[in-house]
Amino acid sequence: MVSGLGRCLAAAALLSFLLFLSSLWLPQETVQSCEDSWRPCLNAYKPAGQVDHASVPEELGGSDIIRECNGQKFQVSRLLLHLNSALGPASDVLLDPYLLCWEELIKFMEALGPLVGFFTHKVEEKITLIRQLSLEESARHSVTAGNSLMYDAQHEVPPHGHAYHSVHSMLEAELQRGVVSFDQQTPSGSRTLLRLHRSLLWLQLLLDKLGTEREGRSFGELCREAYLEVLAPHHPWLVQRAAELVFSAMPDRSVFLQLVCVRTQEEAEPVMRIVVAAIREIHERTQRELEIRNMLDLP
């Protein structure tokens, strides 16, 4: 019993240490805690209104397959609505609904247990950074534009012409302004988006495995396999070891079924096909925008 307690304490200490180290990976000159910052924090950003699960587009499954689960924060219907809203013209991705997708995915990950905070902590920082860059861009517009064209910095969605309106506009604007460095780490929206982009692929692979693999391997094993394929090559050894601890503490697959509001694996399969297809479209569009600018390996 003593040795078991010692292992738990050691694991907790290691995770705490790694979370501290991870905060040093991405320069965050513009990111401060909610208590210290005068800028709005993550929880200040909310969708403009409540999402009606019946409004999920028919091409994404409609309300026949996608149901709302009462009593839980994560809702597949809301995730799909944000994913569909993020599809911009000319194969672009709109940033505001894209970040709302991530907020919903954070709820999904948090429902898997407290140790998953190891991942959600960094995702929240990245969402906050991009939104702060958007607010700073809005402030510049306010100074240069006339009153009739002035953009309210508290507005939810950046307007067309705003550098942080979409993935395309953000990458292009930061590249032209020299904000993006191909040699060293910088707190740019482009570099931050790349990290979110990789994590989205991890979740896409995980959800695909959960939807296609019948009973057999555990939730943690599927998480580990997707992680090793996508994220591990970009993480230092210590973080990979911490991830192993997280995967070993993953709940049973029945928890996943509850999160997507189904009772059996058979019921989960069509839901996951819809979700994975929507995520894949967003990922492929973002991949193209990053690839044509040689931004897939930003330090």
Side-chain angles (χ1 to χ4, degrees):
M1 179 176 178
V2 174
S3 60
L5 178 60
R7 285 195 296 271
C8 290
L9 291 174
L14 177 59
L15 276 174
S16 299
F17 175 66
L18 290 173
L19 284 172
F20 168 74
L21 288 180
S22 68
S23 67
L24 304 178
W25 300 345
L26 178 63
Q28 312 241 356
E29 287 113 349
T30 61
V31 175
Q32 297 176 337
S33 67
C34 290
E35 292 77 15
D36 298 332
S37 177
W38 56 269
R39 298 184 178 97
C41 291
L42 179 67
N43 57 11
Y45 292 88
K46 303 292 183 184
Q50 293 297 318
V51 177
D52 181 2
H53 74 282
S55 65
V56 176
E58 289 300 323
E59 62 268 25
L60 292 179
S63 57
D64 293 336
I65 297 176
I66 307 299
R67 296 190 294 269
E68 184 170 353
C69 273
N70 296 325
Q72 67 180 39
K73 294 182 179 180
F74 171 72
Q75 299 293 339
V76 177
S77 60
R78 191 158 48 227
L79 172 62
L80 285 171
L81 186 60
H82 294 325
L83 286 166
N84 186 62
S85 299
L87 300 176
S91 297
D92 202 356
V93 176
L94 305 180
L95 272 178
D96 189 72
Y98 175 84
L99 297 179
L100 290 175
C101 292
W102 267 113
E103 289 186 349
E104 201 63 30
L105 288 168
I106 286 174
K107 297 173 189 175
F108 171 78
M109 291 187 285
E110 287 178 338
L112 301 179
L115 285 183
V116 184
F118 173 73
F119 292 106
T120 60
H121 168 72
K122 298 306 296 180
V123 173
E124 287 175 342
E125 282 189 350
K126 290 170 175 55
I127 293 173
T128 302
L129 176 59
I130 292 177
R131 281 188 166 138
Q132 289 182 351
L133 291 172
S134 179
L135 287 179
E136 291 168 4
E137 176 76 5
S138 301
R140 284 193 289 269
H141 279 208
S142 298
V143 171
T144 58
N147 290 333
S148 61
L149 300 176
M150 189 176 297
Y151 170 63
D152 182 1
Q154 298 301 322
H155 195 279
E156 291 278 344
V157 182
H160 291 282
H162 188 285
Y164 293 87
H165 174 72
S166 70
V167 167
H168 174 89
S169 62
M170 178 182 72
L171 299 182
E172 196 62 30
E174 291 195 340
L175 196 61
Q176 292 179 3
R177 296 171 184 176
V179 175
V180 181
S181 174
F182 293 87
D183 302 314
Q184 60 185 1
Q185 296 182 3
T186 58
S188 65
S190 302
R191 180 182 184 274
T192 304
L193 175 70
L194 175 61
R195 271 60 187 173
L196 290 174
H197 178 66
R198 291 170 179 168
S199 296
L200 188 62
L201 180 57
W202 169 60
L203 284 169
Q204 176 190 317
L205 294 179
L206 170 61
L207 294 175
D208 185 48
K209 294 175 188 295
L210 287 167
T212 57
E213 290 202 16
R214 296 296 178 95
E215 299 298 330
R217 293 193 293 168
S218 68
F219 198 172
E221 288 173 324
L222 297 179
C223 286
R224 179 183 294 107
E225 183 174 273
Y227 173 81
L228 291 174
E229 186 174 344
V230 177
L231 293 179
H234 305 287
H235 287 172
W237 181 86
L238 280 175
V239 175
Q240 293 182 39
R241 299 285 70 77
E244 287 291 332
L245 291 175
V246 173
F247 300 143
S248 65
M250 283 290 182
D252 187 82
R253 287 179 71 162
S254 61
V255 173
F256 163 72
L257 297 180
Q258 295 171 12
L259 282 174
V260 296
C261 210
V262 298
R263 292 163 295 182
T264 66
Q265 178 66 27
E266 289 74 19
E267 291 180 356
E269 289 175 3
V271 175
M272 285 302 96
R273 280 198 298 270
I274 294 167
V275 173
V276 169
I279 292 177
R280 182 182 294 114
E281 178 64 24
I282 294 294
H283 186 272
E284 289 178 350
R285 290 184 177 207
T286 308
Q287 177 82 7
R288 286 193 292 269
E289 293 291 341
L290 289 165
E291 188 172 21
I292 61 177
R293 296 171 179 82
N294 298 316
M295 289 185 177
L296 289 174
D297 295 304
L298 292 178

